[in-house]
Structures are given as C-alpha cells and as structure tokens.
Amino acid sequence: MNRIFIKSALVLLVLIVPACATKISNEAATVKYLDESRNTALEFRKKLGGVQKAQLESVGAENAIPVCKVIAPALAAEYSQDGRVLKRVSLKARNKLLGTPDAWEKQVLEAFDQSQLAGKLADNMEASTVSKDADGRWFRYMKAIPTQPQCLQCHGKPADISAGLKALLAKEYPEDKAVGYSAGEIRGAISIKRKLDAAL
Ligand code: HEC
C-alpha cells in the first residue's frame, strides 16, 4: 500500500515539476516578449505604411479604401501567429468590430492621450503588462499610432475629406467615429498579446 502510494507520489512529482518549471514568470515573460513585440509592431507599421503610401500615390484616397478595409486586417492576421494576436485599436474606431479596445487597451489609450496633453511625443509611447484573465495569463504590449498628414484625407476634419470619400465612408462604415483628427494626434495603437498559459 505504502509502496504504491510512494510510487504514485513520485509519478505525480515527475509530472508536476516540469509543468512548474516551464511556467514562465511575469518578469521573464516581459524580458522575452517586450523586444519581440516592439520589433513586430515596428515591422507591421512599416509594412502597412508602405502599402498605403503606394496606393495613395497610385490610385488616390477613394480607391485606397480597400487597402484599409482588406489589407490592414489581412496583414494583422498574418502577424497573428505562433500564439500571438495583433490588432489595431482606437478610442474612436472606424471598424467597430475589429478596432474597439478591450478594458486594458482602453485604459492605455486614455493614458496615451493624457501623456500627449502633458506634452509627450506620441511616437515614443508604448505600454506593456502581464494580465491574468478568465482565459489565462497574457503578455500584452501596445504602441501608439500617431496621425500623419497623409492620414487626414480619411481621418481628418470634414474639410480635409473629399465629398466622394465621405459618401464612401458613410456607406461602408455607418458607425464611423474615426474622423476629426489633426496631424500628430494619436489615432490609436497597435496591440499585441501573447498567451503565456491557460487558465487553471
Ligand atoms: C484611404 C483612406 C485611409 C487613409 C489614407 C488612412 N486610413 Fe486608417 N482607416 C481607413 C479605413 C477604411 C479603416 C477601417 C479598416 C477596417 O475596416 O478594418 C481605417 C482604420 C484605421 C485604424 C484601425 C482602427 C479603426 O479606427 O477602425 C487605424 C489605427 C488607422 N486607420 C490609422 C490610420 C493612420 C495612422 C493613417 C495614416 C498613416 C491612416 N489610417 C490612413 C481609411 C484610411
């Protein structure tokens, strides 16, 4: 009886110890994923910016809508792999379904806006944390997206947006909130999350 008990306890130990050993601490997760997330966000922004610039120059803003509507989410999906999820979020989303922030993202976006009001440069703003949610532990990262002059033809004040584009946006995005921006203002953020472990 005792022997069986000891044996099963040993088996349990063998099973449990590696499980504990592989559970990454919050600090180690930050060391491991912060730089990686920074690089991913930078690469994503460069890639999307390049495609957008080329489209705006070659076909003009009205015909560049598909870039934003199709290519941006497709590129985000392409970068969402190996346990990583990449999104673009905003306090004033154009695409409600894809661009609405969750509680942490909303809090960070509000803090970015506050920092900007206090005179900080949007270009350098980022945030990271390890969160414990109902579905497990996640490493999370956000990088602010500043509004550039070329964004205004689709996200600027009414005078910046052509009549044709206004009509197109109204048709495609009846609940559009992503207008009225000025250059330099924070348009939203790239948000990256990575699952560390499942809920117990
Ligand atoms: C040709 C018009 C156009 C231009 C120019 C444009 N956007 Fe957009 N933007 C859109 C559309 C359309 C969407 C909605 C995409 C979707 O359906 O997912 C969008 C969505 C976004 C989103 C996702 C959050 C949301 O509001 O749904 C961000 C962030 C964003 N744009 C930032 C920018 C920035 C920064 C620039 C300039 C570098 C820019 N956009 C230039 C049309 C444009």
Side-chain angles (χ1 to χ4, degrees), residues 12-14 18 20 22 26 49 59 68 74 91 93 112 117 139-140 146 163 166 178 183 198:
L12 262 180
L13 254 182
V14 169
C20 293
T22 56
N26 291 0
V59 296
C68 311
L91 290 173
F112 283 170
L117 281 176
F139 172 75
R140 309 205 54 175
K166 269 190 201 127

Short mmCIF file of all heavy atoms in Angstrom, two decimals, residues 12-14 18 20 22 26 49 59 68 74 91 93 112 117 139-140 146 163 166 178 183 198:
data_model
loop_
_atom_site.label_atom_id
_atom_site.label_comp_id
_atom_site.label_asym_id
_atom_site.label_seq_id
_atom_site.Cartn_x
_atom_site.Cartn_y
_atom_site.Cartn_z
N LEU A 12 3.50 11.59 -9.71
CA LEU A 12 2.90 12.93 -9.68
C LEU A 12 3.97 14.01 -9.71
O LEU A 12 3.86 14.98 -10.45
CB LEU A 12 2.08 13.10 -8.40
CG LEU A 12 0.57 12.88 -8.55
CD1 LEU A 12 -0.11 13.07 -7.22
CD2 LEU A 12 -0.01 13.83 -9.59
N LEU A 13 5.04 13.78 -8.90
CA LEU A 13 6.12 14.75 -8.86
C LEU A 13 6.75 14.93 -10.24
O LEU A 13 6.99 16.04 -10.70
CB LEU A 13 7.21 14.25 -7.90
CG LEU A 13 7.29 14.97 -6.55
CD1 LEU A 13 8.42 14.39 -5.74
CD2 LEU A 13 7.49 16.46 -6.74
N VAL A 14 6.99 13.77 -10.87
CA VAL A 14 7.61 13.80 -12.19
C VAL A 14 6.73 14.60 -13.16
O VAL A 14 7.20 15.33 -14.01
CB VAL A 14 7.84 12.36 -12.70
CG1 VAL A 14 8.23 12.35 -14.16
CG2 VAL A 14 8.91 11.69 -11.86
N PRO A 18 8.05 19.39 -14.01
CA PRO A 18 8.34 20.05 -15.29
C PRO A 18 7.27 21.09 -15.63
O PRO A 18 7.58 22.12 -16.21
CB PRO A 18 8.33 18.91 -16.31
CG PRO A 18 8.35 17.66 -15.52
CD PRO A 18 7.83 17.96 -14.16
N CYS A 20 5.72 23.03 -13.60
CA CYS A 20 6.03 24.26 -12.89
C CYS A 20 7.24 24.94 -13.51
O CYS A 20 7.29 26.14 -13.67
CB CYS A 20 6.33 23.98 -11.42
SG CYS A 20 4.89 23.39 -10.54
N THR A 22 8.23 24.95 -16.48
CA THR A 22 8.02 25.59 -17.78
C THR A 22 7.11 26.81 -17.67
O THR A 22 6.94 27.54 -18.62
CB THR A 22 7.40 24.61 -18.80
OG1 THR A 22 6.21 24.11 -18.22
CG2 THR A 22 8.34 23.50 -19.16
N ASN A 26 6.26 36.37 -14.71
CA ASN A 26 5.87 37.63 -15.36
C ASN A 26 7.11 38.41 -15.83
O ASN A 26 7.13 38.97 -16.93
CB ASN A 26 5.09 38.52 -14.38
CG ASN A 26 3.73 37.94 -14.08
OD1 ASN A 26 3.37 36.88 -14.60
ND2 ASN A 26 2.97 38.63 -13.25
N GLY A 49 2.27 50.94 -43.75
CA GLY A 49 2.52 52.32 -44.20
C GLY A 49 3.01 52.34 -45.64
O GLY A 49 2.58 53.17 -46.44
N VAL A 59 -3.41 55.31 -56.87
CA VAL A 59 -4.84 55.34 -57.22
C VAL A 59 -5.65 56.41 -56.50
O VAL A 59 -6.82 56.62 -56.81
CB VAL A 59 -5.51 53.95 -56.99
CG1 VAL A 59 -4.92 52.90 -57.89
CG2 VAL A 59 -5.41 53.53 -55.54
N CYS A 68 -7.24 49.77 -46.64
CA CYS A 68 -7.53 49.84 -45.21
C CYS A 68 -8.52 48.77 -44.81
O CYS A 68 -8.44 48.20 -43.74
CB CYS A 68 -8.09 51.21 -44.86
SG CYS A 68 -7.09 52.51 -45.55
N ALA A 74 -5.91 41.91 -43.03
CA ALA A 74 -5.22 40.71 -43.52
C ALA A 74 -3.78 40.68 -43.01
O ALA A 74 -3.28 39.63 -42.61
CB ALA A 74 -5.25 40.66 -45.04
N LEU A 91 -9.79 54.64 -29.62
CA LEU A 91 -10.91 55.11 -28.81
C LEU A 91 -12.04 55.59 -29.70
O LEU A 91 -13.18 55.71 -29.27
CB LEU A 91 -10.44 56.25 -27.88
CG LEU A 91 -9.49 55.84 -26.75
CD1 LEU A 91 -8.96 57.07 -26.02
CD2 LEU A 91 -10.18 54.90 -25.76
N ALA A 93 -13.09 54.24 -33.06
CA ALA A 93 -12.87 53.25 -34.13
C ALA A 93 -13.74 53.51 -35.35
O ALA A 93 -14.88 53.97 -35.25
CB ALA A 93 -13.14 51.86 -33.60
N PHE A 112 -2.30 57.31 -23.00
CA PHE A 112 -1.52 57.89 -24.11
C PHE A 112 -2.03 59.32 -24.40
O PHE A 112 -1.24 60.25 -24.54
CB PHE A 112 -1.68 57.06 -25.39
CG PHE A 112 -0.87 55.76 -25.42
CD1 PHE A 112 -1.10 54.82 -26.43
CD2 PHE A 112 0.10 55.49 -24.48
CE1 PHE A 112 -0.37 53.64 -26.49
CE2 PHE A 112 0.84 54.30 -24.53
CZ PHE A 112 0.60 53.38 -25.54
N LEU A 117 -1.39 65.24 -23.98
CA LEU A 117 -1.84 66.54 -23.47
C LEU A 117 -0.77 67.17 -22.58
O LEU A 117 -0.62 68.38 -22.53
CB LEU A 117 -3.13 66.37 -22.66
CG LEU A 117 -4.43 66.23 -23.47
CD1 LEU A 117 -5.61 65.99 -22.55
CD2 LEU A 117 -4.66 67.49 -24.32
N PHE A 139 0.89 38.07 -22.02
CA PHE A 139 1.79 39.22 -22.09
C PHE A 139 1.14 40.19 -23.07
O PHE A 139 0.69 39.79 -24.15
CB PHE A 139 3.18 38.81 -22.62
CG PHE A 139 4.04 40.02 -22.88
CD1 PHE A 139 4.61 40.70 -21.81
CD2 PHE A 139 4.22 40.50 -24.17
CE1 PHE A 139 5.37 41.84 -22.04
CE2 PHE A 139 4.97 41.65 -24.39
CZ PHE A 139 5.54 42.31 -23.32
N ARG A 140 1.07 41.45 -22.71
CA ARG A 140 0.40 42.43 -23.57
C ARG A 140 1.29 43.64 -23.85
O ARG A 140 2.05 44.08 -22.98
CB ARG A 140 -0.90 42.90 -22.88
CG ARG A 140 -1.75 41.71 -22.45
CD ARG A 140 -3.17 42.06 -22.36
NE ARG A 140 -3.64 42.66 -23.61
CZ ARG A 140 -4.91 42.96 -23.82
NH1 ARG A 140 -5.81 42.77 -22.91
NH2 ARG A 140 -5.27 43.49 -24.97
N PRO A 146 0.64 57.57 -34.23
CA PRO A 146 0.32 58.99 -34.43
C PRO A 146 -0.34 59.22 -35.79
O PRO A 146 -0.07 58.48 -36.73
CB PRO A 146 1.69 59.67 -34.38
CG PRO A 146 2.71 58.60 -34.24
CD PRO A 146 2.06 57.27 -34.39
N ALA A 163 -15.74 64.92 -50.87
CA ALA A 163 -17.16 64.54 -50.81
C ALA A 163 -17.35 63.08 -51.20
O ALA A 163 -18.12 62.34 -50.56
CB ALA A 163 -17.97 65.45 -51.74
N LYS A 166 -16.29 60.89 -48.36
CA LYS A 166 -17.27 60.97 -47.26
C LYS A 166 -18.43 60.02 -47.53
O LYS A 166 -18.87 59.29 -46.65
CB LYS A 166 -17.80 62.39 -47.13
CG LYS A 166 -16.99 63.23 -46.18
CD LYS A 166 -17.72 64.54 -45.91
CE LYS A 166 -16.74 65.56 -45.41
NZ LYS A 166 -16.73 66.82 -46.11
N ALA A 178 -13.96 57.55 -36.62
CA ALA A 178 -12.55 57.86 -36.81
C ALA A 178 -12.30 59.07 -37.71
O ALA A 178 -11.51 59.01 -38.65
CB ALA A 178 -11.83 56.63 -37.35
N ALA A 183 -3.02 66.30 -37.49
CA ALA A 183 -1.71 65.63 -37.59
C ALA A 183 -1.03 65.64 -36.21
O ALA A 183 -1.09 66.63 -35.49
CB ALA A 183 -0.85 66.34 -38.62
N ALA A 198 -2.70 28.76 -20.04
CA ALA A 198 -4.16 28.68 -19.99
C ALA A 198 -4.64 28.82 -18.55
O ALA A 198 -3.87 28.62 -17.61
CB ALA A 198 -4.60 27.35 -20.57
#
